[in-house]
Amino acid sequence: MDKILETIIQKIEERNPRHAKKLRGNMEGLEDTFYYQANEFFDKYLDFVDREGKDLDYGIDSYMKMIRDYMYEQVTFAKTGSYSCTSFEDANERVYNNPEVMDYYMHGLMLSQFLWRHHYEVFEFFNASFPNYASRINSYLEIGGGHGIFLSEAMKATNMNKEYHLVDISPSSIEIAKGFVGEEKVKYFLTDIFDFHPKQGYDFITMGEVLEHVEQPLRLLKKLHAMLSERGRAFITAPANAPAIDHIYLFRNADDIRQMLDTAGFKVLEDISIYAERVSRKKAEKYKVAEMYGAFIEKK
Amino acid sequence: MLTTTTTLDALQEIFVDVLDEEDIVLTATTTADDIEEWDSLAHVQLIVAIERAFGIKFTATEIEAFTSVGDMVNTIEQKQA
């Protein structure tokens, strides 16, 4: 391990040794590709914070605030069995309409892309399989693009002459994606996905970690179904048992998500589920450890 | 309310129970580095058990800031004062 990733972990270690211990444990056994990709991503992140007039310490402090919130939500979840946020309005008030919280949350999430093994493994799953679906893609949409890393990889693997589309409800999220992916080949739409009405179906839609942020994920999956072309495919991810300040809908396990995909009219082509902690399945189920699910899907 | 003589004794019982490790001996300076089982997952379970046992509720900042058993003892006793 070297370069910026190691610097980040050392800075986390200074602030919270227990968390750094977990991160180092999670990275055990990862291949060189991980370190290459992580350092490449974090170099881009450094450019981004620099453009914002901030520095890496700002990013680390943001990440630690997110971890603080995350830990608190985990304690609440362990006691109540529910997410503390119960409606979109609640999430809006706590996070999306709260610039200070939104800012540290976005920075924290960006760092988590390579600090959290389950985030990285789902990304790797996407990278490994997406090229198999790429040849027949002539239109591409990403819903809730975050930092845009999935879109970046999709752009490398496809050969489209048209613009890639990205829809996001958050202005700050779109700004971050622009910083990471650029504006040359991507058209950004700042809107609620339910107010987005494309004239033609998309050949491929990516929707990472959005379902848990809405009150009615089934309605969102049906909307996704309606926006796919007849032979279109999609890649979705969603976590189960993952308390966070803006997570609303609680999936109890990966099967819960599979069931909803089926109800929405989708067939799963291939999928993956990974626990957020490196523990046995028995222990993960006992303590309701967060589980990240990802799937390539098509219409039934 | 716990009937044990000191906060540290009460924490000792909770750690042994939650971490399922009979040999744990806590002191004020004990940290996660001293107890292999005290990882982030165990930390959540410990906090839940401590809150229940003492009838208190920690803030997000307190939960994150606990680095030693001594930190926990001080915060618990402040909340009970």
Side-chain angles (χ1 to χ4, degrees), chain A residues 15-19 21-22 64-65 67-72 74-76 78-80 277 279 283-284 286-289, chain B residues 18 32-41 43-45 47-48 51-52 56-61 63-67:
Chain A
R15 291 158 170 85
N16 186 333
R18 191 177 50 244
H19 188 70
K21 180 175 153 187
K22 172 188 166 171
M64 296 319 302
K65 284 180 187 170
I67 292 299
R68 178 200 63 194
D69 290 348
Y70 185 65
M71 188 64 86
Y72 187 75
Q74 277 190 305
V75 169
T76 305
K79 286 192 291 192
T80 65
E277 305 273 352
V279 293
K283 193 170 178 184
K286 181 182 176 189
Y287 291 116
K288 293 182 182 167
V289 170
Chain B
V18 170
D33 277 343
D34 303 315
I35 302 174
E36 197 186 337
E37 296 81 3
W38 188 358
D39 56 16
S40 54
L41 182 59
H43 192 63
V44 171
Q45 304 307 321
I47 296 296
V48 171
E51 287 190 345
R52 281 187 178 142
I56 55 175
K57 195 166 170 15
F58 296 118
T59 65
T61 309
I63 293 168
E64 197 224 359
F66 289 141
T67 52

Side-chain angles (χ1 to χ4, degrees), chain A residues 240-282:
Chain A
N241 294 324
I245 52 175
D246 62 343
H247 286 184
I248 300 167
Y249 191 89
L250 172 58
F251 292 105
R252 300 280 176 184
N253 49 47
D255 277 344
D256 244 10
I257 305 168
R258 289 188 188 101
Q259 180 63 49
M260 192 176 282
L261 288 169
D262 183 65
T263 307
F266 288 111
K267 173 184 162 191
V268 173
L269 299 166
E270 52 184 318
D271 63 3
I272 187 173
S273 76
I274 304 148
Y275 288 115
E277 305 273 352
R278 306 202 78 196
V279 293
S280 67
R281 172 168 286 274
K282 191 179 166 193

Side-chain angles (χ1 to χ4, degrees), chain A residues 124-177:
Chain A
E124 266 306 278
F125 173 66
F126 177 81
N127 286 343
S129 293
F130 179 76
N132 300 331
Y133 306 103
S135 62
R136 62 187 205 194
I137 297 175
N138 283 309
S139 53
Y140 186 102
L141 170 68
E142 177 142 351
I143 302 168
H147 39 54
I149 194 172
F150 284 86
L151 179 57
S152 287
E153 293 303 315
M155 287 165 71
K156 285 182 201 166
T158 47
N159 188 23
M160 259 172 46
N161 293 322
K162 290 193 290 183
E163 283 176 315
Y164 295 79
H165 290 176
L166 188 151
V167 172
D168 205 302
I169 199 170
S170 154
S172 44
S173 194
I174 284 193
E175 284 312 307
I176 288 168

Side-chain angles (χ1 to χ4, degrees), chain B residues 58-78:
Chain B
F58 296 118
T59 65
T61 309
E62 286 165 345
I63 293 168
E64 197 224 359
F66 289 141
T67 52
S68 69
V69 169
D71 294 338
M72 287 176 160
V73 170
N74 290 338
T75 308
I76 293 165
E77 291 181 349
Q78 277 166 21

